[in-house]
């Protein structure tokens, strides 16, 4: 996703009060996007008994792709795109599909807040590497302390497969960030995102069809899947784009690191998943480390 900046007219400078109001609105938009995304994930978990994790991913990606293609209407004729451009879209779409498939397999096995805490280690490590500062590795150490606290009873107690899926999703999340920027530089506006989502939908469709079959076409399931797609994709993407017009990327990055905390709240309110005080402390350490790494990287 590319950052969009808007500048006030030269003849009408923006007053400090308006700047503060814009920042406040931008912060509210980021938080709104986080709430929508994590409560969408909680709703998706409630769909697992109907179509399974792979089926939910298929519903989310296919419906999200249809919405994005209808809204963005990416033009591909006469653009002169090269093979490398299409390779970037395919790689981006594969990262989106893989990230979602692994993450949903994770939250089928471990609590939502815990899964997001492990998943966010991918972008955190990317921020540390991009910062290219030795001090940034202190944030990585703080995150590892949080992970050690979260898994103090052994990863087997958490379900090792669920943790592994979350870590894999985190690695693909880091790849998603890099490929998003790479694809955004090759395609105008949000065309690259819409095309990549279509690729992700194509990749996930046979997997979901094989695991869920005709259950995917149940009207109630389709309706709930549409709600998941809107909450987890359409609303967050829209709010993030609006937020990036009002806040600088560093602030956006720090606010985004609240995802594990928001996920824990969504898991508790929607799914009744509780965390102990030590678990809450572990999530707080990872959130603090992610925020510090985001500030250190300046990206």
């Amino acid at each position: 996703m590319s950052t969009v900046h808007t500048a006030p007219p030269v003849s009408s400078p923006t007053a400090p009060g308006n700047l503060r109001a814009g920042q406040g609105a931008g912060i509210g938009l980021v938080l709104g996007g986080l709430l929508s995304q994590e409560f969408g994930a909680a709703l998706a978990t409630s769909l697992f008994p109907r179509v399974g994790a792979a089926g939910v991913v298929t519903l989310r990606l296919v419906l999200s792709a249809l919405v994005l293609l209808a809204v963005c209407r990416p033009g591909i004729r006469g653009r002169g795109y090269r093979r490398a451009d299409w390779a970037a879209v395919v790689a981006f779409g594969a990262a989106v599909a893989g990230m979602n498939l692994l993450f949903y397999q994770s939250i089928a096995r471990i609590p939502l807040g815990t899964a997001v805490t492990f998943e966010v280690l991918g972008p955190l490590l990317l921020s540390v590497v991009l910062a290219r500062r030795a001090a940034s590795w202190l944030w990585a150490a703080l995150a590892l302390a949080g992970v050690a606290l979260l898994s103090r009873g052994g990863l087997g107690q958490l379900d090792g497969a669920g943790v592994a899926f979350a870590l894999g999703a985190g690695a693909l999340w880091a790849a998603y960030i890099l490929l998003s920027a790479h694809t955004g530089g090759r395609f105008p506006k949000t065309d690259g995102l819409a095309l990549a989502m279509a690729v992700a939908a194509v990749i996930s469709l046979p997997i979901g069809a094989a695991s869920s079959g005709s259950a995917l076409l149940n009207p109630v399931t389709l309706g709930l899947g549409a709600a998941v797609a809107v909450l987890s994709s359409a609303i967050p993407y829209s709010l993030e784009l609006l937020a990036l017009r009002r806040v600088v990327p560093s602030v956006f990055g720090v606010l985004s690191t609240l995802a594990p905390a928001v996920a824990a709240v969504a898991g508790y309110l929607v799914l009744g998943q509780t965390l102990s005080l030590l678990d809450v402390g572990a999530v707080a350490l990872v959130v603090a480390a992610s925020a510090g790494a985001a500030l250190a990287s300046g990206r």
Side-chain angles (χ1 to χ4, degrees):
M1 183 180 298
S2 59
T3 303
V4 182
H5 297 281
T6 56
V10 175
S11 60
S12 180
T14 304
N18 290 335
L19 281 175
R20 286 194 294 269
Q23 288 278 351
I27 291 171
L29 290 168
V30 176
L31 295 178
L34 283 176
L35 287 169
S36 180
Q37 185 170 358
E38 301 307 337
F39 276 86
L43 176 61
T45 303
S46 68
L47 265 176
F48 289 167
R50 288 178 172 269
V51 290
V56 174
V57 171
T58 297
L59 286 173
R60 174 187 172 179
L61 293 181
V62 169
L63 294 172
S64 296
L66 291 175
V67 170
L68 282 173
L69 289 173
V71 172
C72 301
R73 296 185 180 182
I76 57 177
R77 293 183 180 180
R79 294 282 188 174
Y81 291 127
R82 296 171 298 174
R83 182 178 298 178
D85 300 325
W86 295 115
V89 164
V90 171
F92 187 17
V96 171
M99 178 177 66
N100 280 278
L101 286 166
L102 292 178
F103 178 70
Y104 278 71
Q105 289 293 339
S106 175
I107 62 177
R109 293 167 171 80
I110 60 178
L112 177 60
T114 303
V116 176
T117 301
F118 281 108
E119 185 193 26
V120 81
L121 295 178
L124 185 153
L125 183 59
L126 179 62
S127 294
V128 169
V129 171
L130 290 177
R132 298 179 181 178
R133 300 174 186 169
S136 297
W137 289 98
L138 295 175
W139 298 115
L142 182 63
L144 288 177
V147 169
L149 186 60
L150 196 62
S151 57
R152 63 196 179 282
L155 294 182
Q157 182 180 353
L158 278 175
D159 188 298
V163 173
F165 282 129
L167 292 174
L172 287 175
W173 190 357
Y176 164 92
I177 293 170
L178 296 174
L179 290 169
S180 175
H182 182 60
T183 305
R186 292 176 175 269
F187 291 83
K189 300 179 181 179
T190 55
D191 286 10
L193 174 63
L195 293 170
M197 191 65 75
V199 171
V202 170
I203 292 173
S204 69
L205 188 56
I207 299 173
S211 66
S212 306
S214 60
L216 291 172
L217 301 178
N218 179 279
V220 175
T221 301
L222 281 173
L224 292 172
V228 170
V230 170
L231 286 171
S232 300
S233 299
I235 292 177
Y237 289 153
S238 300
L239 294 182
E240 286 172 4
L241 284 172
L242 291 173
L244 284 167
R245 297 173 184 266
R246 295 167 171 81
V247 298
V248 295
S250 59
V251 172
F252 178 88
V254 170
L255 291 171
S256 297
T257 63
L258 293 173
V262 176
V265 172
Y268 174 72
L269 293 177
V270 179
L271 304 171
Q273 298 174 343
T274 58
L275 297 177
S276 67
L277 288 177
L278 284 177
D279 292 334
V280 172
V283 171
L285 284 176
V286 174
V287 168
S290 300
L295 285 173
S297 71
R299 295 171 183 251

